[in-house]
Amino acid sequence: MAKQTHSFQAEVKQVLHLVTHSLYSNKEIFLRELVSNASDACDKLRFEALDNAALFEDAPNLEVRVSFDEAARTVTISDNGIGMSEEEAIAHLGTIAKSGTREFMAKLEGDQKKDANLIGQFGVGFYSGFIVADRITVETRRAGVAADQGVRWSSEGTGDYEVETISKPGRGTDVVLHLRDGEEEFLKTWRLKSVISKYSDHISLPILMKKEEWDADAAKQVLKDEWEPVNKASALWSRSKSEVTPEQYEEFYKQISYDTEAPLSYTHNRVEGRSEYTQLLYIPKKAPFDLWNRDKRGGVKLYVKRVFIMDDAEALMPVYLRFVKGVIDSADLPLNVSRELLQESRDVKAIREGSTKRVLSMLESLADSEDAAERAKYAEFWKDFGSVLKEGVGEDHANQERLAKLLRFASTQADEGVSLADYLKRAKDDQEAIYYITADSLAAAKNSPQLEIFRKKGIEVLLLTDRVDEWMLSHLYEFEGKPLQSVAKGAMDLGKLQDEDEKKKAEEAAETFKPLLDRLKAALKDRAKDVRVSTRLVDSPACIVVEEGDMSGHLARLLKQAGQAAPASLPTLEINAEHALVKKLDASAQFDDLAHVIFDQAVLAEGGHLEDPAAYVKRVNAMLLA
């Protein structure tokens, strides 16, 4: 047949420029697309040959070959797959987003679809070759037809393409890219190998390239006639769990994470249902240095039918699980999926929800294990990643209850590892709340005056010292029906744990000390909202508390450190009517100065900072000299 010239479909003319310049964010992606198409053609041949073994002709071993010619400035991707007839070449290469595979899949019926799950759906991928090439030549012959019925298709990617009949002994397709000026980097073995390794390493067919060896006489690398595979040709996550050893799982983790240590834990599952995907997810043993960077890209790689799509698919995992590494391979997403599409896709939302639940299940199995070694693993995890996991309490309301069970704290009974469930098991029978205190450090929390009545009564109090705790508590109000209550907010009411004699004694003290309280309010009118007799102090003369609904002093300090303004509010001063210093106060000739010293000491004991430290020192020195 003589050479014929055809015009591209109208949509091709309109979209081709967009495809080659905007659809793909980096140039090297063209090789991924063309290798994927070649693999797809081989998969299609394998499937059709189930009914017609003659299609294999004399070459039953399916493969993809990648080669280059530095002198001719060409890169060639060849396969011995199904190939195309003239009509198919015109239909599939002249029409945008019309995939022969898609038509092929549409013809399958019933259970055959399960057998075809390796066959990709490819649309505009072929046109990505024009990112680096100013002309593409395709030589192809459909399996099962005569050698003289081959087809050559060529185009410069503008308005027209040419088609002619050629003789092609071998079945399959050769895609020859004539590189543009400036794309010489793709005429190097190492460059092509690196792209194949990055994007197509796990394609199940062998991808072959010519061996390259050093020629001492020529003082350069030269190509040999021998071909060698450059991909592993086996996606570890696509294999059955029974076929993969723990050592292989660990080695794969190190490859994808660049970590030198084995992971703390991993999970490998195939999910079927509304969305079909495979997940292989790892929890690292140690936190990365950039763990607290919430803008950091996620650690999950996205594949579609074993074809690499993107390195850091943050849409597949919530931000609070940004430490998770691994692979998710979808059977449903399109190959040209963008980050924008990932955000909107219902399939992606299903994958995200399923993967989140899988990671939480993995953590729960460690935390609740009867094996001490497994529980020790979770304790190790919590030290490095606990603060980040707390972010999920406020961000992931669907899993808030599960996350709450995974939380671990220090308390007045243990320096670490106390769960909310553990706390409730040890709680007093009549205890009506889960008590906690927030502070800048564990020492400050342990020695806070607000804890004195709780120590006296043997009531456990959680000690919260992470910067994220205050924010987390604004979303976590209760656990298993028990409210979480700060010991540093509001008037202390221990309910049934406070006997009637104590309540009566506190009421009498408030009445007896009313004149003193009024004098203190006047002396501290610019610093304290109120002054009252305390029911929470045992050994200390005074303490600072805030009212329910007001911002704690700890949170106000955190906001100030972050350069943000905290809402203006005054604290309440509570005094211990039984303390000797308070009893001395009423008769003191330096009443105002002593009142300010007591207030300043209460601020310091709470972990706060004095606005005028020099004034405090001056008052204390004056009293020492009196």
Side-chain angles (χ1 to χ4, degrees), residues 9-212:
Q9 186 189 36
E11 288 84 351
V12 177
K13 296 178 183 178
Q14 296 168 357
V15 178
L16 192 55
H17 179 82
L18 177 65
V19 169
T20 58
H21 294 89
S22 304
L23 184 59
Y24 299 95
S25 56
N26 54 328
K27 292 179 179 180
E28 64 188 26
I29 217 77
F30 80 90
L31 190 55
R32 180 197 79 181
E33 292 296 320
L34 295 176
V35 168
S36 296
N37 282 353
S39 171
D40 177 43
C42 291
D43 285 335
K44 184 185 291 187
L45 173 63
R46 182 189 291 126
F47 193 82
E48 286 197 8
L50 292 176
D51 295 325
N52 183 8
L55 293 177
F56 279 125
E57 300 176 1
D58 57 352
N61 296 323
L62 301 174
E63 61 190 23
V64 179
R65 298 192 177 206
V66 178
S67 59
F68 65 91
D69 186 327
E70 204 165 355
R73 296 175 51 79
T74 60
V75 174
T76 303
I77 297 91
S78 303
D79 68 74
N80 60 351
I82 194 66
M84 289 180 283
S85 65
E86 179 185 338
E87 291 78 13
E88 289 171 328
I90 293 173
H92 301 322
L93 303 182
T95 304
I96 199 79
K98 182 175 182 181
S99 166
T101 302
R102 190 172 301 142
E103 289 184 356
F104 177 72
M105 291 288 285
K107 293 176 183 176
L108 297 178
E109 296 178 359
D111 291 338
Q112 277 185 295
K113 287 189 177 181
K114 296 178 182 176
D115 299 326
N117 64 352
L118 296 179
I119 301 173
Q121 294 180 328
F122 298 89
V124 297
F126 168 75
Y127 297 96
S128 65
F130 286 109
I131 296 174
V132 296
D134 53 20
R135 184 160 57 93
I136 297 179
T137 301
V138 178
E139 294 187 351
T140 183
R141 176 173 69 79
R142 205 181 203 288
V145 304
D148 60 0
Q149 294 184 36
V151 180
R152 177 182 289 124
W153 180 101
S154 63
S155 174
E156 294 181 357
T158 52
D160 301 320
Y161 59 91
E162 296 176 341
V163 179
E164 62 180 312
T165 301
I166 62 169
S167 176
K168 189 176 190 301
R171 68 164 191 271
T173 303
D174 303 329
V175 180
V176 183
L177 306 178
H178 303 265
L179 299 184
R180 302 176 188 275
D181 289 338
E183 306 298 345
E184 292 78 9
E185 62 177 298
F186 296 108
L187 297 173
K188 305 290 183 186
T189 298
W190 69 267
R191 183 71 173 101
L192 295 175
K193 276 187 176 181
S194 69
V195 177
I196 292 169
S197 176
K198 180 177 181 181
Y199 293 103
S200 307
D201 197 42
H202 302 289
I203 283 180
S204 56
L205 296 170
I207 302 172
L208 307 176
M209 287 186 68
K210 284 188 174 181
K211 268 190 175 180
E212 191 175 62

Side-chain angles (χ1 to χ4, degrees), residues 193-249:
K193 276 187 176 181
S194 69
V195 177
I196 292 169
S197 176
K198 180 177 181 181
Y199 293 103
S200 307
D201 197 42
H202 302 289
I203 283 180
S204 56
L205 296 170
I207 302 172
L208 307 176
M209 287 186 68
K210 284 188 174 181
K211 268 190 175 180
E212 191 175 62
E213 293 182 359
W214 179 258
D215 188 320
D217 295 332
K220 65 176 183 179
Q221 294 285 108
V222 296
L223 293 174
K224 300 295 183 181
D225 289 332
E226 184 181 351
W227 294 81
E228 63 177 355
V230 293
N231 68 321
K232 289 190 173 67
S234 173
L236 180 138
W237 62 86
S238 68
R239 291 153 59 186
S240 169
K241 286 192 281 189
S242 61
E243 298 175 9
V244 186
T245 66
E247 292 75 21
Q248 288 173 320
Y249 278 123

Side-chain angles (χ1 to χ4, degrees), residues 283-471:
I283 295 175
K285 187 171 287 186
K286 298 293 182 185
F289 70 92
D290 56 353
L291 178 66
W292 281 101
N293 178 10
R294 283 177 56 86
D295 295 328
K296 170 185 174 289
R297 295 291 189 184
V300 176
K301 297 176 183 290
L302 173 63
Y303 285 73
V304 174
K305 297 184 179 72
R306 301 188 309 280
V307 177
F308 178 74
I309 302 299
M310 63 182 71
D311 244 326
D312 41 24
E314 68 274 11
L316 298 177
M317 199 66 68
V319 176
Y320 72 91
L321 294 179
R322 57 187 175 272
F323 52 83
V324 174
K325 307 291 184 184
V327 166
I328 290 176
D329 190 345
S330 170
D332 303 318
L333 295 175
L335 272 170
N336 59 346
V337 65
S338 65
R339 293 192 185 279
E340 292 72 28
L341 285 174
L342 283 179
Q343 298 291 344
E344 300 168 4
S345 168
R346 283 184 297 176
D347 288 326
V348 169
K349 287 186 174 72
I351 293 172
R352 177 190 174 102
E353 290 170 5
S355 299
T356 299
K357 286 179 169 59
R358 188 65 65 179
V359 172
L360 295 183
S361 295
M362 185 166 31
L363 293 174
E364 287 165 349
S365 67
L366 290 176
D368 302 332
S369 175
E370 295 181 1
D371 185 343
E374 293 292 287
R375 293 198 304 275
K377 279 186 180 182
Y378 187 75
E380 187 180 348
F381 161 82
W382 184 259
K383 286 180 183 177
D384 273 4
F385 301 102
S387 297
V388 176
L389 199 66
K390 289 176 182 178
E391 295 174 11
V393 172
E395 294 176 354
D396 189 355
H397 292 283
N399 291 302
Q400 188 182 76
E401 188 175 335
R402 296 181 71 178
L403 286 163
K405 292 178 180 179
L406 289 169
L407 300 176
R408 297 292 184 268
F409 306 99
S411 80
T412 48
Q413 294 193 16
D415 283 350
E416 61 183 20
V418 178
S419 70
L420 293 175
D422 292 337
Y423 179 97
L424 289 180
K425 286 177 184 175
R426 295 194 289 261
K428 301 285 186 180
D429 291 340
D430 294 329
Q431 188 171 326
E432 297 174 354
I434 297 172
Y435 296 104
Y436 70 86
I437 186 170
T438 58
D440 296 326
S441 67
L442 188 59
K446 277 183 175 180
N447 298 311
S448 174
Q450 282 101 334
L451 298 183
E452 290 175 359
I453 188 64
F454 294 91
R455 282 203 184 90
K456 180 180 178 181
K457 291 184 172 295
I459 301 171
E460 186 175 10
V461 178
L462 299 176
L463 311 177
L464 279 59
T465 57
D466 281 341
R467 298 173 68 89
V468 72
D469 284 336
E470 287 273 9
W471 177 84

